[in-house]
Amino acid sequence: MNLSQNSRKSAPRIFVTGGAGYIGSHVVKALGEAGYEVLVYDNLSSGNRWAILYGDLVEGDLADRVLLEKTLADFRPDAVMHFAAFIEVNESVRQPLKYYRNNTLNALKLLETVRQVEIPYFIFSSTAAVYGTPETIPVTEQTPLQPINPYGASKMMSERLLADLAAVESNFNYVALRYFNVAGADSRFRIGQAYENATHLITRALKTAHGEYAKLQIFGTDYPTPDGTCIRDYIHVDDLAEAHLVALDHLMAGGGSEIFNCGYGHGYSVREVVEMARKVTGMDFTVEEAPRREGDPAALTADSRRIRRKLGWQPRYDDLEFIIHTAWEWEKVLKAKKYRNS
Ligand code: UFG
């Protein structure tokens, strides 16, 4: 949707938790470009003020019920998009309660407030981690939910809260988007992933190419896949952002509650990603074969026909080279930014 100049005066208002983070900030950008009025609510624990290209920021924590209620009551949004969450699978295994508190309990508190203020639409960041280790791929939205770590379980529980609430509240509808492996950066390189100690493959490979790490480890080379390494469905963050906009259109047009996978429907192995990272960067960085990482499914790809069919989602960047190119250019910007600030 592109709101006209006229309609912009009364543009729908969208409240975005975690809008200063990696995915949230790309969605805020897409909302701003489409003419929505945006308010970001973020405690900046992993997000950055500079990443918010549109709208205002309220620096606050979801656990701060008083501030949350006041902010929602003042802003009176048409819809809430909920990104704020912890996302590290390994950390969730070591500190499960931290994940259930932030990802599930805070989602519950947010939902209570959302109902109090009578906000009708809710879009939720879910994850492919709710599927655990599926027996067959690509996974559809009907594939059984069997998360194998607290991160996936914390998100699955939040999905359940939403489903149970929507079942009894006729004026409340939600869309849960299950993200696969999100990667890449803004094509103008203004925003991108900026976590400390990032663990994701593409970021890790590019930081190794940049010299931040001495080597990249490939976790497991004996998987039952063509080259022995894990296969994932890498989706460009701007295509994922667009999925949020079509989900919002759907809800605002009176559509019902839905759950959708967000991926391209095919994957690349770790070795293929490494080769592409070498090609894009022109760096022959060191790679070491290492044991399997606990909890990694051999292959995980999305059946995303449902979101394409029902919402007309049309991804534009289904191209691993482009994804890695944008991530690489962003890494350079990030490094320069850090250098200037140090
Ligand atoms: N990998 C390496 N070396 C690294 C980093 C990763 O070999 O240094 C491998 C992993 O073992 C895995 C693949 O690259 O096989 C992808 O790993 P990522 O850490 O990039 O991503 P994951 O697939 O583990 O996790 C992603 C999201 C999670 C989500 C999950 C769903 O980051 O939030 O997909 O499966 F839960």
Side-chain angles (χ1 to χ4, degrees):
M1 173 162 87
N2 251 315
L3 301 171
S4 68
Q5 286 298 104
N6 279 344
S7 64
R8 199 169 291 174
K9 281 197 204 104
S10 57
R13 286 189 295 275
I14 317 298
F15 181 81
V16 184
T17 76
Y22 170 48
I23 298 170
S25 64
H26 285 79
V27 175
V28 166
K29 174 187 73 165
L31 288 168
E33 284 171 354
Y36 289 96
E37 192 181 332
V38 178
L39 182 66
V40 171
Y41 190 87
D42 199 304
N43 65 6
L44 301 182
S45 62
S46 60
N48 295 286
R49 198 180 289 273
W50 50 254
I52 303 169
L53 301 182
Y54 289 88
D56 293 326
L57 166 71
V58 170
E59 197 177 332
D61 202 291
L62 286 172
D64 184 345
R65 189 70 173 254
V66 175
L67 181 63
L68 183 63
E69 272 179 29
K70 181 175 178 342
T71 309
L72 280 173
D74 288 349
F75 187 56
R76 295 240 149 226
D78 297 279
V80 167
M81 292 193 180
H82 180 38
F83 297 93
F86 294 140
I87 58 157
E88 289 286 334
V89 170
N90 287 340
E91 185 186 55
S92 81
V93 175
R94 284 182 276 109
Q95 300 182 61
L97 298 186
K98 176 176 172 181
Y99 275 68
Y100 292 119
R101 173 171 296 281
N102 194 33
N103 295 5
T104 312
L105 185 59
N106 282 344
L108 169 66
K109 289 181 182 169
L110 175 62
L111 278 175
E112 283 174 344
T113 314
V114 158
R115 290 320 297 146
Q116 206 172 308
V117 188
E118 297 183 351
I119 301 161
Y121 310 127
F122 196 93
I123 295 181
F124 178 62
S125 297
S126 191
T127 170
V130 297
Y131 297 115
T133 310
E135 273 166 27
T136 52
I137 55 158
V139 291
T140 73
E141 290 82 358
Q142 273 71 51
T143 298
L145 305 189
Q146 291 172 328
I148 54 169
N149 49 58
Y151 169 66
S154 70
K155 289 281 186 175
M156 181 186 74
M157 288 186 209
S158 301
E159 280 197 20
R160 181 62 194 257
L161 296 177
L162 284 162
D164 289 347
L165 180 63
V168 291
E169 296 273 1
S170 56
N171 62 349
F172 176 78
N173 284 290
Y174 75 94
V175 172
L177 298 175
R178 293 181 181 154
Y179 309 161
F180 282 66
N181 287 62
V182 190
D186 171 44
S187 51
R188 287 169 59 197
F189 319 123
R190 294 164 295 175
I191 50 176
Q193 211 178 81
Y195 309 130
E196 292 301 319
N197 306 317
T199 59
H200 292 122
L201 176 63
I202 291 179
T203 309
R204 207 68 199 187
L206 297 179
K207 285 186 188 294
T208 309
H210 233 145
E212 263 180 62
Y213 300 109
K215 62 189 177 198
L216 176 79
Q217 291 190 310
I218 295 185
F219 298 135
T221 53
D222 58 351
Y223 284 98
T225 59
D227 70 14
T229 65
C230 290
I231 293 173
R232 293 290 183 274
D233 189 335
Y234 295 91
I235 170 175
H236 191 278
V237 63
D238 279 336
D239 276 337
L240 182 64
E242 180 60 22
H244 292 75
L245 265 70
V246 294
L248 186 58
D249 284 348
H250 163 82
L251 290 174
M252 295 188 70
S257 295
E258 294 281 357
I259 296 172
F260 296 109
N261 285 337
C262 291
Y264 292 139
H266 60 89
Y268 294 94
S269 72
V270 174
R271 286 194 205 279
E272 286 171 326
V273 170
V274 168
E275 280 322 301
M276 188 59 84
R278 282 182 164 150
K279 180 179 169 198
V280 168
T281 62
M283 308 278 180
D284 190 16
F285 54 87
T286 306
V287 172
E288 177 186 273
E289 295 189 1
R292 290 184 178 196
R293 191 173 71 175
E294 207 184 325
D296 275 342
L300 193 59
T301 57
D303 181 332
S304 56
R305 283 176 299 178
R306 192 174 155 78
I307 187 169
R308 293 171 196 256
R309 197 178 60 240
K310 288 204 102 171
L311 303 190
W313 178 63
Q314 286 182 326
R316 289 180 293 170
Y317 308 113
D318 180 359
D319 174 350
L320 186 64
E321 185 164 0
F322 178 78
I323 292 174
I324 295 182
H325 163 71
T326 57
W328 176 235
E329 291 304 317
W330 167 249
E331 272 307 317
K332 294 186 208 165
V333 171
L334 191 62
K335 197 147 194 184
K337 220 184 239 298
K338 278 188 187 150
Y339 180 74
R340 276 200 307 275
N341 293 340
S342 65

